[in-house]
Amino acid sequence: QLQLVESGGGLVQPGGSLRLSCAASGFTLDYYAIGWFREAPGKEREGVSCISAYYADSVKGRFTISRDNAKNTVYLQMNSLKPEDTAVYYCAADRPADLRGCPLPGGYWGQGTQVTVSS
């Protein structure tokens, strides 16, 4: 069974940090475009970062994407978190990629992990 499972979300104060993990099973991430997306209440899903080194302007300098091929896992290190970073974060993987090097919507998606930044 092909699956992506996110973990690491939670409640954090502004200025704090979290590291999200996305573990793949049933396929090898090496050969896929991989990315992190987020969806906030009332907003459309947006691309946050992709392993191609794409970063949304709103997270540049604060978020870092990385991968561990041995663990078949991708990470998103999030520092200096802001209330506007509050959202459900999803990881996705697909073989074709868009112009940013990010997976297309029709690929594999995890179930999401909630990140809440609040004092």
Side-chain angles (χ1 to χ4, degrees):
Q1 184 180 3
L2 305 178
Q3 197 174 13
L4 293 170
V5 179
E6 302 98 335
S7 61
L11 172 64
V12 63
Q13 292 187 342
S17 298
L18 284 174
R19 188 177 80 154
L20 306 183
S21 300
C22 173
S25 59
F27 67 106
T28 303
L29 286 174
D30 290 23
Y31 307 111
Y32 286 77
I34 308 160
W36 286 95
F37 297 76
R38 66 186 180 187
E39 188 171 333
K43 295 185 178 181
E44 291 186 355
R45 187 173 296 183
E46 64 171 340
V48 175
S49 179
C50 300
I51 207 67
S52 59
Y54 166 81
Y55 290 93
D57 288 342
S58 58
V59 307
K60 283 180 181 176
R62 301 189 297 122
F63 291 11
T64 304
I65 191 170
S66 63
R67 71 195 300 171
D68 185 331
N69 290 337
K71 295 182 178 179
N72 210 25
T73 298
V74 175
Y75 303 96
L76 185 68
Q77 178 67 44
M78 305 187 296
N79 298 328
S80 302
L81 282 161
K82 305 175 180 180
E84 51 263 44
D85 294 318
T86 295
V88 178
Y89 284 70
Y90 301 87
C91 68
D94 202 358
R95 281 194 183 266
D98 64 18
L99 294 179
R100 301 169 299 177
C102 295
L104 297 176
Y108 304 110
W109 289 80
Q111 82 289 349
T113 185
Q114 177 71 47
V115 171
T116 302
V117 184
S118 175
S119 55

